[in-house]
Amino acid sequence: TNSTVYWHSSKVNLFVDAVYVRFSTGYTRSQGEFVVKDNTSGGGTGALASSKFSYITGSLLGKFPLFNSSGRISLWPAAGVGYAYNLKHKSNGSSLAGSDLNDIYILGGAGFDFWATPSLAITVTALYGYNMTPNMYKSNPGVSNSGYKTECNLGVMYLVF
C-alpha cells in the first residue's frame, strides 16, 4: 500500500537571532487526528483512531539578511538543520517510544523581519524540511517511510543588545 499521512500541530518556540544565524527550540504537539490518504488507484481518505504525539524541537539556521534602504525591513533566505526529539507518541491506545521516532531535518526557506521600533520586530518564517531519518518501523523491514514538513511561524523579536 502506498499512502500519505497528514497532520496538524501547534508549536511554542523560543529563538535567538544573531543576524546571520538563528537558533530555536520549542515544544510541538499534534492537533486532531492523523488523516491517511490511500495513493493506490481507487483509494479513499480516512482517519486513524487516536494518534497523538509531542516533541521537543531545535533548529539551527544560517541566513543572509537583505535590508531595504530604511533598514526597517529585512528579507532573508535560510538553510540549516532541525531535530525533533520524541516525548510521547500514542497510536490507537498504544504508546510508541524510542529513538526510532526522533527525526533530523534538512531545512530551507525564507523569512521577513519588520522592525516596528529600533528594538522590536515582527518576524515571519516559512520553512520546508526534508526528513533524513523518517523510518519509525526499523524493526519491520517491509515498511518504510519518507518525510517532509512545512512550517510557517509568526513571532515577535526584541533586541537585547
Side-chain angles (χ1 to χ4, degrees):
T1 300
N2 180 0
S3 59
T4 304
V5 180
Y6 301 93
W7 68 87
H8 298 281
S9 61
S10 58
K11 183 177 187 179
V12 176
N13 219 19
L14 176 67
F15 66 91
V16 176
D17 190 299
V19 182
Y20 296 103
V21 176
R22 180 175 282 190
F23 169 76
S24 68
T25 186
Y27 173 77
T28 302
R29 182 175 178 267
S30 62
Q31 301 293 318
E33 300 296 328
F34 284 35
V35 176
V36 178
K37 179 183 173 198
D38 186 350
N39 294 329
T40 58
S41 61
T45 301
L48 291 176
S50 188
S51 295
K52 306 239 181 241
F53 65 84
S54 61
Y55 286 93
I56 295 289
T57 61
S59 67
L60 181 63
L61 295 174
K63 58 185 202 136
F64 187 77
L66 307 166
F67 295 94
N68 72 350
S69 60
S70 72
R72 292 185 64 180
I73 297 172
S74 170
L75 299 171
W76 41 269
V81 295
Y83 185 72
Y85 176 78
N86 175 54
L87 293 175
K88 178 176 79 172
H89 190 118
K90 284 191 168 188
S91 181
N92 300 324
S94 300
S95 289
L96 304 172
S99 62
D100 287 356
L101 300 173
N102 298 343
D103 290 317
I104 298 171
Y105 289 91
I106 299 295
L107 301 171
F112 171 88
D113 300 332
F114 172 72
W115 291 92
T117 71
S119 60
L120 183 68
I122 296 173
T123 182
V124 177
T125 309
L127 295 172
Y128 176 79
Y130 175 73
N131 192 339
M132 300 297 292
T133 57
N135 196 355
M136 67 171 68
Y137 301 104
K138 291 180 182 171
S139 60
N140 184 351
V143 178
S144 66
N145 292 324
S146 64
Y148 304 92
K149 75 173 182 174
T150 55
E151 195 175 291
C152 294
N153 301 300
L154 175 65
V156 176
M157 184 166 41
Y158 183 74
L159 185 62
V160 178
F161 300 104

PDB file of all heavy atoms in Angstrom, residues 119-137:
ATOM      1  N   SER A 119      14.077  48.420  18.586  1.00  0.00           N
ATOM      2  CA  SER A 119      14.360  47.219  19.375  1.00  0.00           C
ATOM      3  C   SER A 119      13.264  46.154  19.315  1.00  0.00           C
ATOM      4  O   SER A 119      13.389  45.112  19.938  1.00  0.00           O
ATOM      5  CB  SER A 119      14.600  47.599  20.832  1.00  0.00           C
ATOM      6  OG  SER A 119      13.458  48.231  21.371  1.00  0.00           O
ATOM      7  N   LEU A 120      12.194  46.363  18.545  1.00  0.00           N
ATOM      8  CA  LEU A 120      11.087  45.413  18.499  1.00  0.00           C
ATOM      9  C   LEU A 120      10.711  45.110  17.048  1.00  0.00           C
ATOM     10  O   LEU A 120      10.472  46.020  16.262  1.00  0.00           O
ATOM     11  CB  LEU A 120       9.865  45.994  19.229  1.00  0.00           C
ATOM     12  CG  LEU A 120       8.649  45.089  19.334  1.00  0.00           C
ATOM     13  CD1 LEU A 120       8.940  43.906  20.247  1.00  0.00           C
ATOM     14  CD2 LEU A 120       7.457  45.877  19.859  1.00  0.00           C
ATOM     15  N   ALA A 121      10.662  43.808  16.722  1.00  0.00           N
ATOM     16  CA  ALA A 121      10.347  43.407  15.341  1.00  0.00           C
ATOM     17  C   ALA A 121       9.303  42.306  15.334  1.00  0.00           C
ATOM     18  O   ALA A 121       9.200  41.505  16.259  1.00  0.00           O
ATOM     19  CB  ALA A 121      11.600  42.916  14.626  1.00  0.00           C
ATOM     20  N   ILE A 122       8.545  42.277  14.252  1.00  0.00           N
ATOM     21  CA  ILE A 122       7.644  41.165  13.954  1.00  0.00           C
ATOM     22  C   ILE A 122       8.348  40.328  12.904  1.00  0.00           C
ATOM     23  O   ILE A 122       8.862  40.859  11.915  1.00  0.00           O
ATOM     24  CB  ILE A 122       6.288  41.677  13.450  1.00  0.00           C
ATOM     25  CG1 ILE A 122       5.613  42.468  14.569  1.00  0.00           C
ATOM     26  CG2 ILE A 122       5.427  40.517  12.970  1.00  0.00           C
ATOM     27  CD1 ILE A 122       4.362  43.171  14.169  1.00  0.00           C
ATOM     28  N   THR A 123       8.409  39.028  13.129  1.00  0.00           N
ATOM     29  CA  THR A 123       9.138  38.150  12.222  1.00  0.00           C
ATOM     30  C   THR A 123       8.236  37.032  11.703  1.00  0.00           C
ATOM     31  O   THR A 123       7.416  36.501  12.444  1.00  0.00           O
ATOM     32  CB  THR A 123      10.412  37.584  12.902  1.00  0.00           C
ATOM     33  OG1 THR A 123      11.124  36.770  11.993  1.00  0.00           O
ATOM     34  CG2 THR A 123      10.082  36.798  14.147  1.00  0.00           C
ATOM     35  N   VAL A 124       8.369  36.731  10.432  1.00  0.00           N
ATOM     36  CA  VAL A 124       7.615  35.660   9.775  1.00  0.00           C
ATOM     37  C   VAL A 124       8.629  34.733   9.117  1.00  0.00           C
ATOM     38  O   VAL A 124       9.560  35.195   8.457  1.00  0.00           O
ATOM     39  CB  VAL A 124       6.649  36.228   8.712  1.00  0.00           C
ATOM     40  CG1 VAL A 124       5.930  35.104   7.988  1.00  0.00           C
ATOM     41  CG2 VAL A 124       5.660  37.189   9.339  1.00  0.00           C
ATOM     42  N   THR A 125       8.458  33.440   9.301  1.00  0.00           N
ATOM     43  CA  THR A 125       9.365  32.457   8.718  1.00  0.00           C
ATOM     44  C   THR A 125       8.556  31.358   8.042  1.00  0.00           C
ATOM     45  O   THR A 125       7.574  30.878   8.603  1.00  0.00           O
ATOM     46  CB  THR A 125      10.251  31.819   9.806  1.00  0.00           C
ATOM     47  OG1 THR A 125      10.860  32.829  10.570  1.00  0.00           O
ATOM     48  CG2 THR A 125      11.302  30.926   9.199  1.00  0.00           C
ATOM     49  N   ALA A 126       8.979  30.955   6.846  1.00  0.00           N
ATOM     50  CA  ALA A 126       8.390  29.814   6.141  1.00  0.00           C
ATOM     51  C   ALA A 126       9.528  28.840   5.834  1.00  0.00           C
ATOM     52  O   ALA A 126      10.523  29.216   5.210  1.00  0.00           O
ATOM     53  CB  ALA A 126       7.702  30.255   4.858  1.00  0.00           C
ATOM     54  N   LEU A 127       9.394  27.599   6.312  1.00  0.00           N
ATOM     55  CA  LEU A 127      10.439  26.600   6.123  1.00  0.00           C
ATOM     56  C   LEU A 127       9.871  25.333   5.509  1.00  0.00           C
ATOM     57  O   LEU A 127       8.718  24.968   5.757  1.00  0.00           O
ATOM     58  CB  LEU A 127      11.096  26.238   7.458  1.00  0.00           C
ATOM     59  CG  LEU A 127      11.875  27.325   8.166  1.00  0.00           C
ATOM     60  CD1 LEU A 127      12.294  26.851   9.555  1.00  0.00           C
ATOM     61  CD2 LEU A 127      13.091  27.710   7.351  1.00  0.00           C
ATOM     62  N   TYR A 128      10.703  24.673   4.738  1.00  0.00           N
ATOM     63  CA  TYR A 128      10.399  23.359   4.191  1.00  0.00           C
ATOM     64  C   TYR A 128      11.484  22.425   4.699  1.00  0.00           C
ATOM     65  O   TYR A 128      12.664  22.779   4.675  1.00  0.00           O
ATOM     66  CB  TYR A 128      10.411  23.410   2.654  1.00  0.00           C
ATOM     67  CG  TYR A 128      10.200  22.067   2.010  1.00  0.00           C
ATOM     68  CD1 TYR A 128       8.931  21.528   1.904  1.00  0.00           C
ATOM     69  CD2 TYR A 128      11.281  21.345   1.519  1.00  0.00           C
ATOM     70  CE1 TYR A 128       8.731  20.291   1.312  1.00  0.00           C
ATOM     71  CE2 TYR A 128      11.087  20.110   0.926  1.00  0.00           C
ATOM     72  CZ  TYR A 128       9.811  19.596   0.825  1.00  0.00           C
ATOM     73  OH  TYR A 128       9.628  18.375   0.261  1.00  0.00           O
ATOM     74  N   GLY A 129      11.099  21.260   5.181  1.00  0.00           N
ATOM     75  CA  GLY A 129      12.083  20.330   5.718  1.00  0.00           C
ATOM     76  C   GLY A 129      11.992  18.960   5.078  1.00  0.00           C
ATOM     77  O   GLY A 129      10.899  18.442   4.843  1.00  0.00           O
ATOM     78  N   TYR A 130      13.148  18.378   4.796  1.00  0.00           N
ATOM     79  CA  TYR A 130      13.245  17.005   4.303  1.00  0.00           C
ATOM     80  C   TYR A 130      13.746  16.144   5.453  1.00  0.00           C
ATOM     81  O   TYR A 130      14.804  16.410   6.024  1.00  0.00           O
ATOM     82  CB  TYR A 130      14.197  16.916   3.107  1.00  0.00           C
ATOM     83  CG  TYR A 130      14.421  15.498   2.647  1.00  0.00           C
ATOM     84  CD1 TYR A 130      13.424  14.818   1.970  1.00  0.00           C
ATOM     85  CD2 TYR A 130      15.612  14.849   2.915  1.00  0.00           C
ATOM     86  CE1 TYR A 130      13.618  13.509   1.562  1.00  0.00           C
ATOM     87  CE2 TYR A 130      15.816  13.538   2.509  1.00  0.00           C
ATOM     88  CZ  TYR A 130      14.810  12.876   1.838  1.00  0.00           C
ATOM     89  OH  TYR A 130      14.995  11.581   1.444  1.00  0.00           O
ATOM     90  N   ASN A 131      12.990  15.111   5.810  1.00  0.00           N
ATOM     91  CA  ASN A 131      13.325  14.243   6.929  1.00  0.00           C
ATOM     92  C   ASN A 131      14.419  13.261   6.522  1.00  0.00           C
ATOM     93  O   ASN A 131      14.223  12.439   5.629  1.00  0.00           O
ATOM     94  CB  ASN A 131      12.074  13.501   7.396  1.00  0.00           C
ATOM     95  CG  ASN A 131      12.265  12.806   8.714  1.00  0.00           C
ATOM     96  OD1 ASN A 131      13.383  12.529   9.129  1.00  0.00           O
ATOM     97  ND2 ASN A 131      11.164  12.529   9.376  1.00  0.00           N
ATOM     98  N   MET A 132      15.563  13.334   7.189  1.00  0.00           N
ATOM     99  CA  MET A 132      16.686  12.443   6.892  1.00  0.00           C
ATOM    100  C   MET A 132      16.553  11.090   7.581  1.00  0.00           C
ATOM    101  O   MET A 132      17.239  10.136   7.216  1.00  0.00           O
ATOM    102  CB  MET A 132      18.005  13.102   7.333  1.00  0.00           C
ATOM    103  CG  MET A 132      18.288  14.423   6.643  1.00  0.00           C
ATOM    104  SD  MET A 132      18.504  14.248   4.871  1.00  0.00           S
ATOM    105  CE  MET A 132      20.031  13.359   4.812  1.00  0.00           C
ATOM    106  N   THR A 133      15.688  10.960   8.592  1.00  0.00           N
ATOM    107  CA  THR A 133      15.523   9.719   9.373  1.00  0.00           C
ATOM    108  C   THR A 133      14.045   9.389   9.554  1.00  0.00           C
ATOM    109  O   THR A 133      13.550   9.325  10.667  1.00  0.00           O
ATOM    110  CB  THR A 133      16.189   9.884  10.751  1.00  0.00           C
ATOM    111  OG1 THR A 133      15.601  11.016  11.408  1.00  0.00           O
ATOM    112  CG2 THR A 133      17.688  10.078  10.635  1.00  0.00           C
ATOM    113  N   PRO A 134      13.309   9.144   8.466  1.00  0.00           N
ATOM    114  CA  PRO A 134      11.856   9.040   8.586  1.00  0.00           C
ATOM    115  C   PRO A 134      11.304   7.684   9.017  1.00  0.00           C
ATOM    116  O   PRO A 134      10.126   7.572   9.269  1.00  0.00           O
ATOM    117  CB  PRO A 134      11.378   9.341   7.163  1.00  0.00           C
ATOM    118  CG  PRO A 134      12.473   8.796   6.320  1.00  0.00           C
ATOM    119  CD  PRO A 134      13.743   9.095   7.087  1.00  0.00           C
ATOM    120  N   ASN A 135      12.097   6.650   9.102  1.00  0.00           N
ATOM    121  CA  ASN A 135      11.550   5.304   9.294  1.00  0.00           C
ATOM    122  C   ASN A 135      11.312   4.985  10.756  1.00  0.00           C
ATOM    123  O   ASN A 135      12.230   4.672  11.502  1.00  0.00           O
ATOM    124  CB  ASN A 135      12.484   4.271   8.658  1.00  0.00           C
ATOM    125  CG  ASN A 135      11.794   2.945   8.483  1.00  0.00           C
ATOM    126  OD1 ASN A 135      10.664   2.764   8.911  1.00  0.00           O
ATOM    127  ND2 ASN A 135      12.458   2.022   7.856  1.00  0.00           N
ATOM    128  N   MET A 136      10.052   5.027  11.191  1.00  0.00           N
ATOM    129  CA  MET A 136       9.724   4.673  12.565  1.00  0.00           C
ATOM    130  C   MET A 136       9.505   3.174  12.727  1.00  0.00           C
ATOM    131  O   MET A 136       9.198   2.703  13.806  1.00  0.00           O
ATOM    132  CB  MET A 136       8.493   5.448  13.045  1.00  0.00           C
ATOM    133  CG  MET A 136       7.211   5.099  12.354  1.00  0.00           C
ATOM    134  SD  MET A 136       5.752   5.847  13.110  1.00  0.00           S
ATOM    135  CE  MET A 136       5.989   7.549  12.777  1.00  0.00           C
ATOM    136  N   TYR A 137       9.639   2.399  11.657  1.00  0.00           N
ATOM    137  CA  TYR A 137       9.419   0.958  11.718  1.00  0.00           C
ATOM    138  C   TYR A 137      10.705   0.207  11.404  1.00  0.00           C
ATOM    139  O   TYR A 137      10.724  -0.686  10.586  1.00  0.00           O
ATOM    140  CB  TYR A 137       8.334   0.554  10.724  1.00  0.00           C
ATOM    141  CG  TYR A 137       7.027   1.253  10.976  1.00  0.00           C
ATOM    142  CD1 TYR A 137       6.626   2.301  10.165  1.00  0.00           C
ATOM    143  CD2 TYR A 137       6.221   0.877  12.033  1.00  0.00           C
ATOM    144  CE1 TYR A 137       5.432   2.961  10.398  1.00  0.00           C
ATOM    145  CE2 TYR A 137       5.027   1.524  12.272  1.00  0.00           C
ATOM    146  CZ  TYR A 137       4.633   2.561  11.452  1.00  0.00           C
ATOM    147  OH  TYR A 137       3.465   3.202  11.687  1.00  0.00           O
TER     148      TYR A 137
END
